[in-house]
């Protein structure tokens, strides 16, 4: 976070504003970081955790009463002489400022200034408390927060401000007072646009849809089929719209079975829906039965469908009396029904409440573990992980299609499907992919965020609220602990996600369904959380990440292996804070990795320059000071495989030339700017030795005809241009590292390392983009050391 | 053999001709291999083997299965994977391969049949053909072999019996025969006696070693005394001890009687800010104190400081050895879910049961004590003396933990080995009694050393990037402590050890021999084979495993402490200025006090104290400076919320690594205690052995490219780029780790590898990183560092795992 909000408009400014913390924007930026990364520092006692902490601390003392504001934020009231009753360090006198976004308390009483900034979205309940021992005139306020803490303030009633409570209430719960949330007035602009992260069609294309069994349906374009489903649905090809509508009437909240994810190889499908409205009289619905049969038929590898009902069996039975129920195995042919026995959301809410008692404010040292046991929080996490692994294992090992539902299909269902997808598909374990997953499975499919979190609202009471998304993120965190190298994002990202679930600073988690969001024009009027995250991805990266798309993760779901996520639940206790914040060391490691990459590039350049054995590739750009970035390896279908052992491309080229597999050999230059110049050389595949002989290593290569084409990074080069047209049935895929704005700490950014390869034109786009290192439209990311891995997977794809 | 009768198999003798054949095979060719590719030790013979066996891999090995051949010799159970690379016949013998289990570390053998499990003892008979063989080890491993359908049934049964018969519960006789089986052959003896010691660590055995340590710490005012050279003063103390310079040996001799077992206050370590850490046993009260004695005693206690001495009483707040043993026993029972009795803790009671073992409490207590001491030391200009009744158990834990926290050198692998050598092995921790390998005195048994390793792991998991050693190293040390093979862990004191050792060059043998009736606690009879020290890792671990003992990326830290130790100029909260000179305080239960009877002679002798302290004692030690001391403790967030930002430890290498001690922060060392968990699923891990880590891959590539570069133009580039030595990895790795592992280039190119880093080089080294704006760039200026290349698969994790 070396440069903050203000600097995003242009990357060149960033260095300057970072260096000058004294300027108003610098202080503001600094403060924004504190606020937004509210992770380790709620009780921010000194302002900066950065290296030059002392100077900043001094400056902060001078302007301790200047409240840093977000763009668009306005101060509502300021009150002097308020006491903050800190459960850890006692009473503190200071100034309380309330804006329309946050509550800001600062005190200069002690040696180091004390600052407390809490956004008002996180407040779950406001209570007046009395302090009998502090005189009659003293009144107290307690803010019970959603993120497991309670703040208490005391002030004297005489000095007026009976309106403190009122101001706080109206700002914390604007929706109950018929006001708007702060997010609609938030004026920050980010270079990345988070609303573009998830494009349903692109995501389906990545999964290879539409195909012969599944199609993209616009049936719900105006949300008439189901008002809590997204506009774009993936439905079986073989069912008519009329049948779908009839089936919808048979499912709770009209949430029919739709596709969530499809296995790239076996075509086993993960399908989600609401409970069937069986009712006490055991109703049936032909169309629904037919729909499920079609789902079974779409998967050639198995003749069964596994239905996972997330609920406890007893709960499902009792729902039958209330017109709900579960699929009967006698009515639905080829179906096996499993109950995952996960308690309902009220149990979860209660469990988290107990957890709060254990972790805040005091932690009972000696009885810590048994207290955790008693909350049952970890047991619920275990049930979820266990259920999701069962779903994933059914899809992966048994190659059976799976249908998941609970009651309405938006709470436990979302938890299970998204966790299962996270286990099955490595794409969702990347930073971008995870955003897509949340957008798709949670936001798109209508998890009722507004109701479950209770954004800006104290009317609805507790009964609708439940920490289901928190539970999901906790499960993800458990997986990151068990598979430290499998996720591209780090713990800070997950913390950020949860903090902004409550903060209402971003529009991402607003409203209950896509329809409501469209009605409120959330996408145009607010900023997405992903904009913020993707504008500084280096803060959220995991240095241990190894890209591996294929691997399926099965976490160990035993309480012995699970841990309590103390960095989230118990983070308010200052004694839980380590000397070095973990994300700082992560960032150091990432820097180290970047440096190593740079070093590899440099050395590779030197080796190439010095080694006389390596073939010299003519490069017009090299004279002009640009360097070769990478030689793509030749890739031939059906021909002899080029040994993958050569980590060095020029060596590979030599081998290629001597072993004489025929095909395409290509290289390219990359200028530090944005364009990629291709040098494409063709050698015809000559089984009868008719074609031109492959060149010997050395200068001969240059005699071959070549062609150049400039392509934008991240794009798929179209088969335009004369030379490319001569290669029928092949298409060219370019993967280029996304060009990011230059950051202060990167003195020399490694040159973007593109990769180019040809694939048969019949290859589905999803495979192409996967091969290129990511969704091609977003700018694929790849770095040199990952290439061997990807190539081997590519070979696999093409030879089958 | 099996086809007809699946009924009962008694344990029976192997047919003699087979046995002889096997024996003669391996006997003839001492360094030979078994027909089925087991590389035997000299003199080792294979008793039984079974083909087509699969071994279950643990999570850290990548999970899944490995198929190969299982052997039972009279020293180990060996497993050779099918496609294992052929070992070099001329390489040095390795006692235990990666997949082997020493017989002495087996605690229990259990077989799993089609529908039952059975504990196998030497006398038991098998009524079914086992499908699975589970070996429960003392070091908390559980090794599981699966017999395929292709494994001949006869072989399965034979090998099960062979293992059941040869593994023995530890007894004096069996330990000795185990040692003989492993090391007893003539070739092995010769091999061991020719082995050279690791010269890059400090063994703390000779006077020069101690002198080196004094220089390393920059401890002036102290000297090495050989007053105990013949163990006349104290049988449990090492031959050389470090005492203040101003105390003469003759004066020193009078002090021994005042302490339990003669363990007088001795110097252990100096904090870079100038405080000294001492250790001593409790006072002997029943001895008449002469004036001069008392003066000497105080001189020793105050060391080279005159102002302040804090005695830290360890007995009261720390667990007793019996507690530790009990807790460890419970933890074992909890973690090794026992298949034979099928008693498992229900999953939803797991945390409560874990809490009930109190093991985590004990690690917390030790860490807490150590961080208190570390905070005291950082105040500067005082001596802190750890006092324990016997000074042989928990004071080892605390003093070495303090050094791990404060001294970056002790967080390197060799530094840590030196530390264990200093504070445990030569300082006289009773490894022999505590380990109880011979099962002759169960009351004394207590895994104090394991508790220490657990504490270090807690620190490691919190600050992995500040350690050069890895958790694999800690694990290897943990396992070694369960193997009765190493001289380091088989004696109670340096005296016993040197009696047992055959290495006459190192130790002194008096003319009249060692038959000394005055020392009834003398250890075991000198064992037959010469036992190697535990630090000879290449005896047990392959190069690849040893590479995993250190982190691939050197931690970004720490210039060496400077020589004069005078660093406390800017320590505002630090020094209690109002301390009256010569005050002695007692720290007990987190409270400072100066009880009259703290130093027993003071109350008795009254004001008649001679020498420089007369004045102060007339005033009686006042409690004036107590608040100052307490502030010192509190300043470090042990009892209060920290005020101010946490000091950046990268900037200040002397800042101790303070562990977080809240209940949630002390975790279970899962890699150790959960290794054997049988419920682990056999799914592969993304970061497994055949799947290298990106940083490691990059490091290797840097190395490789540099080599190529060197080959391409040997003449020109040798001047400008640092070059890997032709000697290759091993050498570099050895000399790069000497405390200054951060700056291997200075070592590699400027000077030949020398055991102690030249102290004078320290300031120059320290200056290096400051010149660089980017604090990481210096790592890459010296990329010859071979450790990048031979990196292991571990990389600092954020929070441990």
């Amino acid at each position: 976070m070396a440069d903050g909000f203000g600097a995003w408009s242009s990357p060149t400014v960033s260095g300057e504003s970072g260096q000058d913390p004294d300027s108003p924007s610098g202080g503001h930026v600094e403060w924004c970081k504190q606020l937004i990364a509210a992770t380790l520092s709620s009780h921010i006692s000194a302002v900066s955790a950065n290296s030059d902490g002392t100077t900043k601390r001094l400056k902060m003392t001078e302007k301790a009463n200047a409240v840093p504001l977000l763009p668009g934020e306005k101060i509502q009231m300021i009150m002097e002489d308020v006491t903050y009753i800190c459960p850890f360090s006692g009473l503190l006198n200071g100034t309380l400022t309330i804006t329309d976004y946050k509550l800001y308390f600062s005190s200069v009483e002690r040696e180091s200034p004390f600052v407390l900034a809490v956004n008002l979205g996180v407040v779950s309940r406001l209570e007046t408390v009395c302090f009998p021992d502090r005189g009659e005139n003293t009144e107290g306020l307690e803010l019970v927060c959603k993120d497991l803490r309670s703040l208490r303030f005391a002030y004297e009633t005489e000095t007026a401000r009976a309106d403190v409570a009122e101001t706080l209430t109206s700002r914390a719960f604007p929706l109950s007072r018929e006001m708007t949330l702060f997010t609609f007035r938030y004026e920050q602009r980010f270079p990345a646009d988070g609303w573009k992260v998830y494009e349903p069609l692109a995501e389906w294309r990545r999964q290879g849809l539409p195909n012969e069994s599944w199609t993209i349906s616009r049936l719900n374009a105006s949300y008439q089929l189901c008002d809590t489903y997204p506009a774009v649905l993936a439905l079986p090809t073989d069912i008519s719209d009329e049948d779908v509508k009839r089936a919808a009437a048979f499912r709770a909240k009209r949430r029919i079975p739709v596709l969530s994810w499809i296995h790239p190889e076996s075509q086993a499908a993960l399908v989600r829906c609401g409970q069937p409205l069986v009712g006490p009289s055991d109703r049936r619905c032909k169309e629904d039965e037919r729909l499920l049969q079609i789902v079974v038929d779409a998967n050639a590898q198995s003749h069964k469908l596994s239905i996972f009902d997330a609920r406890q069996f007893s709960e499902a039975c009792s729902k039958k009396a209330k017109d709900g129920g579960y699929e009967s195995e006698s009515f639905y042919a080829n179906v096996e029904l499993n109950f995952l026995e996960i308690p309902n959301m009220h149990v979860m809410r209660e469990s988290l409440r107990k957890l709060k008692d254990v972790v805040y404010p005091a932690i009972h040292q000696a009885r810590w573990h048994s207290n955790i046991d008693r909350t049952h929080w970890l047991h619920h996490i275990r049930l979820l992980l266990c259920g999701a692994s069962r779903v994933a294992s059914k899809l992966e090992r048994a190659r059976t299609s799976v249908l998941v539902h609970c009651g309405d299909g938006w709470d436990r269902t979302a938890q299970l499907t998204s966790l299962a997808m996270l286990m099955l598909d490595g794409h969702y374990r990347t930073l971008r992919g995870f955003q897509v997953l949340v957008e798709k499975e949670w936001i798109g499919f209508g998890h009722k965020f507004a109701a479950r979190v209770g954004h800006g609202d104290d009317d609805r009471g507790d009964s609708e609220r439940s920490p289901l998304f928190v539970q999901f993120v906790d499960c993800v965190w458990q997986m990151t602990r068990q598979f430290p190298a499998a996720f591209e994002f780090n713990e800070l990202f997950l913390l950020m996600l949860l903090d902004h679930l409550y903060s209402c600073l971003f529009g991402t988690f607003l409203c209950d369904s896509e329809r409501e969001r469209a009605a409120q024009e959330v996408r145009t009027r607010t900023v997405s959380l992903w904009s913020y995250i993707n504008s500084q991805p280096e803060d959220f990266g995991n240095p241990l990440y190894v890209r591996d798309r294929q691997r399926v993760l099965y976490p160990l779901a035993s309480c012995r292996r699970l841990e309590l996520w103390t960095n989230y639940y118990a983070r308010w206790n200052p004694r839980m804070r380590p000397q070095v914040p973990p994300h700082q060391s992560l960032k150091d490691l990432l820097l180290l990795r970047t440096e190593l990459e740079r070093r590899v590039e440099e050395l590779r350049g030197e080796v190439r320059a010095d080694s006389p054995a390596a073939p010299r590739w003519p490069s017009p750009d090299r004279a002009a000071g640009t360097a070769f970035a990478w030689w793509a390896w030749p890739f031939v279908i059906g021909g002899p495989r080029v040994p993958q052992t050569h980590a060095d491309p020029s060596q590979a080229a030599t081998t290629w030339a001597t072993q004489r597999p025929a095909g395409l050999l290509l290289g390219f230059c990359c200028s530090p700017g944005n364009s990629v110049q291709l040098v494409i050389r063709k050698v015809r595949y000559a089984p009868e030795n008719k074609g031109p002989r492959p060149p010997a290593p050395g200068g001969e290569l240059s005699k071959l005809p070549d062609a150049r084409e400039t392509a934008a990074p991240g794009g798929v080069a179209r088969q335009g241009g004369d030379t490319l047209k001569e290669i029928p049935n092949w298409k060219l895929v370019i993967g280029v590292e996304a060009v990011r704005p230059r950051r202060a700490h990167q003195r020399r950014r490694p040159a973007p390392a593109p990769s180019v390869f040809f694939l048969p034109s019949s290859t589905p786009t999803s495979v192409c983009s996967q091969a290129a290192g990511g969704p091609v439209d977003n700018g694929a990311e790849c770095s040199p050391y990952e290439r061997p891995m990807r190539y081997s997977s590519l070979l696999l794809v093409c030879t089958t | 053999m099996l086809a007809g009768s699946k009924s009962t198999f008694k344990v029976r003798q192997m047919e003699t001709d087979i046995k002889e054949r096997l024996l003669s095979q391996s006997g003839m060719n001492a360094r030979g291999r078994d027909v089925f590719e087991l590389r035997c030790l000299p003199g080792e013979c294979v008793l039984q083997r079974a083909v087509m066996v699969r071994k279950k891999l643990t999570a850290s090995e990548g999970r899944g299965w490995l198929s190969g051949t299982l052997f039972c010799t009279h020293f180990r159970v060996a497993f050779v994977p099918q496609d294992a690379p052929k070992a070099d016949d001329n390489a040095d013998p390795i006692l235990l391969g990666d997949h082997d289990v020493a017989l002495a570390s087996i605690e229990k053998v259990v077989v799993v049949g089609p529908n039952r499990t059975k504990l196998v003892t030497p006398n038991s008979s098998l009524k079914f053909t086992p499908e699975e063989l589970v070996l429960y080890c003392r070091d908390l491993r559980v090794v599981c072999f699966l017999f395929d359908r292709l494994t001949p049934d006869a072989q399965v049964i034979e090998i099960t019996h062979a293992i059941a018969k040869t593994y023995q519960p530890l007894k004096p006789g069996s330990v000795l025969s185990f040692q003989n089986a492993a090391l007893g052959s003539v070739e092995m003896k010769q091999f061991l006696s020719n082995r050279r010691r690791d010269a890059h660590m400090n063994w703390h055995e000779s006077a020069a070693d101690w002198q080196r340590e004094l220089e390393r710490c920059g401890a002036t005012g102290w000297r090495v005394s050989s007053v105990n050279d013949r163990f006349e003063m104290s049988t449990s103390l090492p031959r050389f001890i470090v005492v203040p310079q101003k105390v003469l040996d003759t004066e020193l001799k009078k002090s021994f009687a005042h302490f339990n077992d003669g363990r007088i206050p001795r110097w252990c370590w100096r904090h870079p800010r100038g405080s000294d850490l001492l250790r001593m046993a409790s006072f002997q009260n029943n001895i008449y104190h002469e004036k001069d004695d008392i003066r000497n005693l105080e001189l020793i206690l105050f060391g080279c400081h005159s102002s302040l001495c804090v005695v830290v009483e360890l007995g009261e707040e720390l667990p007793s050895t019996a507690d530790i043993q009990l807790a460890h026993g419970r933890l074992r029972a909890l973690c090794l879910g026992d298949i034979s009795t099928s008693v498992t803790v229900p999953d939803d009671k797991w945390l409560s049961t874990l809490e009930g073992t109190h093991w985590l409490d004990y690690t917390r207590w030790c860490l807490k004590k150590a961080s208190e001491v570390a905070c005291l030391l950082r105040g500067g200009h005082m001596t802190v003396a750890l006092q324990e009744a016997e000074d042989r158990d928990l004071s080892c834990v605390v003093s070495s933990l303090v050094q791990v926290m404060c001294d970056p050198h002790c967080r390197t692998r060799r530094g840590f080995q030196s530390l264990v050598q200093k504070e445990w092995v030569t300082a006289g921790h009773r490894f022999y009694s505590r380990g109880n390998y011979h099962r002759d005195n169960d009351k004394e048994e207590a895994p104090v050393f394991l508790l220490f390793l657990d504490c270090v792991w807690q620190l490691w998991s919190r600050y992995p990037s500040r350690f050069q050693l890895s958790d694999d190293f800690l694990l290897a040390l943990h396992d070694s402590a369960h193997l009765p093979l190493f001289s380091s862990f088989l004696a109670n004191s340096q005296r016993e050890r040197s009696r047992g050792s055959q290495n006459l060059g190192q130790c002194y043998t008096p003319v009249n021999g060692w038959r000394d009736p005055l020392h009834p606690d003398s250890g075991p009879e000198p064992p037959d084979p010469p036992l190697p020290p535990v630090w000879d890792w290449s005896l047990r671990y392959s190069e690849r495993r040893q590479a995993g003992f250190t982190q691939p990326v050197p931690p970004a830290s720490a210039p060496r402490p400077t020589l004069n130790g005078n660093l406390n100029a800017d320590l505002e909260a630090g020094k209690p200025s109002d301390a009256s000179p010569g005050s002695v305080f007692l720290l007990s239960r987190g409270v400072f006090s100066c009880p009259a009877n703290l130093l027993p002679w003071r109350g008795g002798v009254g004001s008649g104290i001679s020498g420089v302290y007369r004045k102060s004692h007339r005033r009686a030690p006042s409690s004036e400076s107590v608040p100052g001391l307490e502030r010192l403790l509190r300043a470090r967030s042990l009892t209060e919320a920290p005020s101010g930002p946490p000091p950046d430890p990268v900037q200040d290498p002397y800042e101790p690594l303070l562990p977080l001690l809240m209940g949630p922060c002390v975790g279970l060392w899962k890699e150790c205690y959960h290794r054997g968990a049988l419920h682990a699923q056999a799914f592969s891990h993304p970061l497994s052995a055949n799947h290298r880590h990106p940083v490691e891959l990059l490091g290797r590539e840097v190395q490789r490219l540099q080599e190529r570069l060197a080959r391409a133009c040997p003449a020109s580039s040798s001047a400008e780029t640092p070059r890997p030595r032709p000697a290759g990895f091993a050498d570099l790795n050895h000399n790069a780790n000497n405390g200054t592992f951060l700056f291997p280039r200075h070592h590699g190119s400027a000077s030949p590898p020398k055991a102690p880093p030249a102290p004078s080089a320290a300031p120059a080294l320290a200056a290096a990183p400051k010149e660089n704006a980017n604090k990481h760039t210096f790592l890459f200026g010296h990329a010859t560092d071979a450790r990048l290349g031979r990196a292991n698969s571990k990389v600092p994790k954020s929070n441990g795992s």
Side-chain angles (χ1 to χ4, degrees), chain B residues 572-577 626-636:
Chain B
E572 69 291 337
K575 193 182 165 210
S577 53
V626 168
L629 286 170
E630 279 175 353
R631 203 170 59 231
L632 211 57
L633 270 198
R634 256 208 317 277
R636 295 309 310 145

Side-chain angles (χ1 to χ4, degrees), chain A residues 365 370 373 397 559 579 604, chain B residues 347 352 355 463 663 683 701:
Chain A
Q365 192 86 289
S370 46
D373 254 358
R397 298 215 191 112
C559 277
Q579 271 171 317
R604 190 176 283 131
Chain B
D347 217 29
S352 315
E355 180 183 287
Y463 307 100
F683 303 138
E701 194 161 350

